[in-house]
């Protein structure tokens, strides 16, 4: 039985004879059902027409993204630490080449995902590499493919192998999380932000929204909370959710300026 994948959000459901009736993640006001309606694919059909491409963003950090782009089109990040490899955010495709390459790199010590839009086929990755899959407990009800590998964490932060820290930053989702990598940016630190802190097109600032495709803003309290959540962490670079959405330097000040800018417009008379 195939584990069907929603072609709009890329999230995979438990193996079944037939696809689910609907995708709750796409029915949610933060995502959307495409004009052509809800459609599904299978891992085999996806692998037949797509592959995963790799790019080294900097030493110790590999981007992995599916090409041609599928569903939301994010790329994942593989952080290589002395305590093993950690996958940040999910894709929908785990093909044979990706399995072989990751095994040659030492497999995975952990997977962590920022929020449900990037869940993809995360359970397949966790099962293949026999590693824990970290999700923030606030999004427990969005984990539509349950699995023993899923570890729900709660509280403000969660330590991962290699000195990495998950940071809870509710806003886009109740369980929204970001990842701090102290070894990033040549030791100045990097924030892997998914779209919780959404790196903007200028690659110098960021935005904060409840829904990006449907233009639903976050209120001032939530924006402040996101700024406060990352304030204790040192970082110079911010890796957003797409290949080119990276604030290369001065990232911490860029996030602070972006929080102040958002609050200015949210609170303008
Ligand atoms: Zn969906
Ligand atoms: Zn999202």
């Amino acid at each position: 039985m195939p584990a069907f994948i929603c072609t709009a959000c890329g999230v995979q459901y438990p193996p079944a004879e037939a696809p689910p009736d609907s995708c709750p993640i796409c029915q949610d006001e933060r995502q959307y059902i495409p004009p052509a309606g809800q459609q599904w694919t299978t891992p085999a059909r996806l692998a037949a027409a797509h592959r995963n491409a790799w790019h080294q963003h900097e030493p110790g950090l590999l981007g992995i993204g599916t090409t041609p782009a599928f569903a939301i089109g994010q790329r994942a990040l593989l952080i290589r630490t002395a305590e093993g490899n950690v996958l940040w955010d999910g894709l929908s495709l785990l093909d044979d080449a990706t399995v072989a390459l990751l095994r040659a790199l030492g497999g995975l010590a952990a997977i962590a995902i920022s929020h449900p839009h990037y869940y993809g086929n995360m359970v397949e990755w966790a099962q293949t590499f026999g590693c824990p899959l970290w999700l923030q407990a606030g999004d427990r009800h969005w984990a539509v493919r349950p699995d023993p590998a899923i570890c729900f964490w709660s509280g403000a932060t969660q330590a991962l192998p290699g000195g990495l820290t998950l940071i809870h930053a509710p806003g886009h989702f109740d369980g929204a999380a970001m990842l701090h990598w102290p070894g990033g940016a040549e030791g100045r630190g990097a924030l892997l932000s998914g779209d919780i802190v959404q790196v903007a097109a200028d690659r110098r600032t960021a935005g904060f929204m409840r829904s990006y495709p449907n233009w639903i803003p976050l209120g001032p309290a939530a924006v402040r909370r996101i700024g406060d959540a990352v304030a204790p962490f040192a970082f110079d670079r911010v890796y957003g959710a797409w290949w080119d959405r990276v604030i290369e330097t001065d990232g911490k000040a860029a996030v602070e300026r972006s929080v102040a800018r958002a609050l200015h417009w949210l609170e303008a008379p």
Side-chain angles (χ1 to χ4, degrees):
M1 285 192 296
F4 285 91
I5 297 167
C6 169
T7 62
C9 71
V11 172
Q12 186 177 48
Y13 286 75
E17 298 286 359
D21 294 334
S22 65
C23 174
I25 291 168
C26 285
Q27 287 183 316
D28 176 61
E29 68 176 4
R30 285 164 282 200
Q31 206 14 49
Y32 58 94
I33 297 165
Q38 193 78 64
Q39 291 177 12
W40 303 90
T41 189
T42 65
R45 291 209 310 263
L46 188 62
H50 296 77
R51 60 194 170 82
N52 286 336
W54 296 64
H55 170 71
Q56 181 169 296
H57 284 283
E58 63 172 277
L61 189 73
L62 292 162
I64 315 168
T66 299
T67 180
F70 176 72
I72 296 175
Q74 77 278 6
R75 63 103 176 77
L77 291 163
L78 184 76
I79 309 126
R80 309 201 62 202
T81 82
E83 293 171 19
N85 299 316
V86 175
L87 183 76
W88 170 244
D89 273 336
L91 302 173
S92 302
L93 174 65
L94 180 60
D95 57 6
D96 293 343
T98 304
V99 174
L101 289 167
L102 273 175
R103 286 208 197 288
L105 292 174
L108 293 179
I111 301 170
I113 312 274
S114 60
H115 73 298
H117 291 149
Y118 301 156
Y119 280 176
N121 65 343
M122 60 184 181
V123 165
E124 236 178 83
W125 292 63
Q127 289 175 348
T128 300
F129 295 102
C131 69
L133 167 51
W134 293 93
L135 303 180
Q136 216 286 338
D139 289 341
R140 184 185 293 268
H141 58 293
W142 293 110
V144 293
R145 184 177 180 187
D147 192 85
I150 298 177
C151 306
F152 289 105
W153 61 280
S154 52
T157 60
Q158 171 68 48
L160 291 186
L164 307 181
T165 306
L166 286 165
I167 306 166
H168 184 209
H172 182 48
F173 272 78
D174 290 343
M178 292 183 275
L179 185 67
H180 180 245
W181 175 35
E186 298 81 41
R188 299 186 304 279
L191 181 71
L192 282 51
S193 68
D195 65 6
I196 312 312
V197 166
Q198 173 87 289
V199 175
D202 62 10
R203 300 184 310 284
R204 296 172 57 244
T205 62
F208 319 89
M209 296 192 82
R210 175 169 169 80
S211 170
Y212 297 94
N214 299 331
W215 301 324
I216 309 173
L218 283 176
V223 172
R224 256 189 211 99
R225 207 162 48 220
I226 293 168
D228 291 347
V230 299
F233 295 89
F235 58 93
D236 191 46
R237 198 163 286 158
V238 182
Y239 285 97
W242 283 271
W243 291 110
D244 61 341
R245 294 301 175 98
V246 180
I247 302 176
E248 286 288 341
T249 191
D250 204 27
K252 178 135 178 155
V255 172
E256 288 168 0
R257 279 196 307 272
S258 302
V259 167
R261 179 179 69 178
L263 292 174
H264 170 79
W265 289 109
L266 286 167
E267 293 170 340

